[in-house]
Amino acid sequence: MRKAYIAGNWKMNMTPSAGAAYAAELAKAAAEAGADVKIMVAPPFVTIPAVVEALRGSSIIVAAQNMNDHKSGAYTGEVAPEMLKDLGVTTVILGHSERRSYYKEDDAFINRKLLLALEEGMDVVLCVGETLEERESGKLEEVLSTQLVGGLKDVKAEDMEHITIAYEPVWAIGTGRTATPEDADSAHAFIRGQIAKMYSDDIAQKLIIQYGGSVNASNVKALMAKENIDGALVGGASLSVEKFLPIITYDK
């Protein structure tokens, strides 16, 4: 039985003081509501220390939104995995569509970061997804397959327990548009099938696959009811307890 995994990606929002206040409020609200899911928040780099402190003693995971593919060196403006670990971060989001699109990160670069994260003992949320043009031209499966094969290159079977896949159709991120539960589940089923081909049926069945793309309180139940959707990578709706709490308590 796969445990639901709900993650909030704050993107470039929340100062350290605002993030700490929000995190403390979220932890209290989630505990009082009896939330029975795995919860993660991913603040901006500068906000991570304050959030880690605010969530000390809580089961909520603090993740990073990105990291570099080197352990150290002359890489101005970048952050190494050891720096994140020293703060108490054990999980990193890699391959987000905004990193792929705005900063031209390709599968090879994402793969180097992913392998380093695993080497450093970190968990990874690997994002994959197609643009609207790719979907409408019938390239959905080709795009997902390419991103999975490239992103997971040289990842050993035993390391797959540290990998979560987030399917995020690019056209649904921050647009208010959401793939139908049926379309999302179909894409998730394809991803699970690809992992079975690359590794094994057992690994594929244990794999947590999140859906990301304008998830909110009104659509989360329908999405989570689908067989292959195991969680959500939430953007805008994760920036307030009022909007995020109904998502992490969708089954209550």
Side-chain angles (χ1 to χ4, degrees):
M1 183 69 175
R2 299 185 294 267
K3 186 177 179 68
Y5 186 5
I6 309 293
N9 177 16
W10 298 0
K11 305 188 181 184
M12 198 172 70
N13 296 288
M14 299 249 204
T15 62
S17 57
Y22 168 79
E25 183 184 355
L26 176 66
K28 183 175 183 291
E32 291 176 348
D36 188 28
V37 300
K38 184 176 178 181
I39 305 170
M40 177 260 272
V41 294
F45 288 135
V46 297
T47 302
I48 287 174
V51 172
V52 168
E53 184 60 33
L55 292 176
R56 197 171 300 280
S58 163
S59 62
I60 298 176
I61 298 163
V62 181
Q65 298 175 18
N66 187 33
M67 60 170 244
N68 192 250
D69 64 331
H70 290 81
K71 293 185 177 182
S72 62
Y75 303 99
T76 300
E78 292 296 309
V79 173
E82 185 178 11
M83 298 172 182
L84 298 172
K85 288 164 56 182
D86 194 59
L87 294 176
V89 171
T90 58
T91 302
V92 61
I93 299 171
L94 297 175
H96 192 281
S97 63
E98 290 161 359
R99 301 296 311 177
R100 294 177 186 267
S101 175
Y102 302 158
Y103 305 106
K104 310 306 177 188
E105 295 190 3
D106 60 16
D107 291 320
F109 182 43
I110 293 163
N111 176 247
R112 291 196 299 273
K113 293 195 285 188
L114 186 146
L115 292 175
L116 179 58
L118 292 175
E119 180 185 330
E120 292 291 320
M122 301 180 76
D123 293 332
V124 175
V125 175
L126 173 64
C127 301
V128 298
E130 82 287 2
T131 64
L132 184 60
E133 180 182 0
E134 289 166 339
R135 171 175 276 268
E136 291 181 340
S137 60
K139 295 181 179 180
L140 168 65
E141 294 186 353
E142 177 186 341
V143 170
L144 293 182
S145 178
T146 298
Q147 291 176 346
L148 289 169
V149 171
L152 295 173
K153 185 176 183 290
D154 296 327
V155 174
K156 299 174 183 177
E158 57 265 33
D159 286 330
M160 284 301 293
E161 64 180 307
H162 298 290
I163 302 289
T164 294
I165 302 295
Y167 167 63
E168 43 165 25
V170 179
W171 48 272
I173 299 172
T175 64
R177 298 180 62 179
T178 310
T180 67
E182 292 72 25
D183 284 344
D185 189 60
S186 177
H188 282 228
F190 176 79
I191 291 169
R192 205 175 297 284
Q194 284 297 107
I195 296 299
K197 291 178 183 177
M198 294 168 63
Y199 294 97
S200 69
D201 287 335
D202 182 59
I203 288 175
Q205 288 306 311
K206 290 178 180 177
L207 179 70
I208 299 296
I209 308 176
Q210 299 172 324
Y211 172 76
S214 299
V215 177
N216 55 50
S218 64
N219 61 30
V220 64
K221 286 188 179 181
L223 288 164
M224 292 299 294
K226 293 301 180 181
E227 179 182 358
N228 290 289
I229 300 179
D230 309 310
L233 181 59
V234 186
S238 72
L239 297 178
S240 77
V241 173
E242 181 183 8
K243 292 181 178 179
F244 197 40
L245 185 64
I247 297 174
I248 62 178
T249 57
Y250 72 91
D251 59 343
K252 298 299 179 183

